[in-house]
Amino acid sequence: MTLKPYTPHEFKIMRVRECLPMTETVDTPERAAAYWRANIPQAPWFDPAKEAVVVLVLNTRRRILGHNLVTLGSLDTCIVTPLSVFRPVIVMAGSAIILMHQHPSGDCTPSEGDIRVTRDLIRAGQLLKIDLVDHVIIGEPNHASLRNMGYFSI
């Protein structure tokens, strides 16, 4: 049996959904939630009955470069890995992120899984020198910031 020699392939760069450059910084959970409500529900992939995890890619001045759908889950579960979160940030040469997702139930109270994923991503971001600014959970009509709730102390 003869083996074919390995032929490397050209990498395909994934496209991150771009937005108009923001003139103001996204430095509060309220501004991040306003961005979500203005942009994410209109996306063709959005389903209010499923959890959607989105990463907002920020520049050094905390302005949004773009956003990317990390994963679309079920009613109450999403699979989130550091690779899926940080890949679009590296592609766009971002320096920070805001992780966001919505709870279809409308209750924005973080689950144990939300807290665990946030802490794992903080550590992964530290290794990559990419700051996780916040993890905002969107409910109806409210939102919750895991940073403001004290979950960012690891």
Side-chain angles (χ1 to χ4, degrees):
M1 179 170 117
T2 60
L3 295 174
K4 288 184 182 180
Y6 174 71
T7 306
H9 298 281
E10 181 178 348
F11 285 101
K12 178 181 178 184
I13 303 292
M14 59 183 269
R15 185 176 185 323
V16 176
R17 186 177 184 119
E18 295 176 2
C19 59
L20 295 175
M22 298 272 300
T23 56
E24 60 186 55
T25 58
V26 182
D27 55 358
T28 65
E30 291 73 28
R31 288 184 177 168
Y35 179 85
W36 175 285
R37 290 189 170 98
N39 292 282
I40 306 304
Q42 292 78 19
W45 47 259
F46 184 77
D47 181 352
K50 296 178 182 177
E51 279 197 17
V53 178
V54 172
V55 62
L56 304 184
V57 181
L58 308 176
N59 67 11
T60 56
R61 298 196 184 261
R62 301 297 193 253
R63 292 188 176 106
I64 297 176
L65 297 172
H67 67 265
N68 187 64
L69 173 67
V70 173
T71 184
L72 193 59
S74 64
L75 182 63
D76 62 354
T77 305
C78 278
I79 305 298
V80 178
T81 64
L83 174 63
S84 61
V85 170
F86 290 105
R87 179 184 290 168
V89 187
I90 293 166
V91 168
M92 288 193 76
S95 69
I97 63 169
I98 297 175
L99 189 68
M100 302 186 75
H101 78 280
Q102 104 283 6
H103 284 172
S105 67
D107 179 11
C108 55
T109 305
S111 68
E112 286 300 317
D114 295 337
I115 296 163
R116 186 174 45 256
V117 163
T118 300
R119 289 188 172 149
D120 290 347
L121 292 174
I122 290 169
R123 286 193 280 286
Q126 288 170 340
L127 290 172
L128 295 168
K129 305 288 191 237
I130 297 171
D131 187 27
L132 176 58
V133 175
D134 206 342
H135 181 170
V136 179
I137 301 172
I138 303 294
E140 273 307 317
N142 301 321
H143 63 273
S145 161
L146 272 73
R147 178 176 290 281
N148 289 351
M149 295 173 87
Y151 292 114
F152 272 55
S153 57
I154 55 172

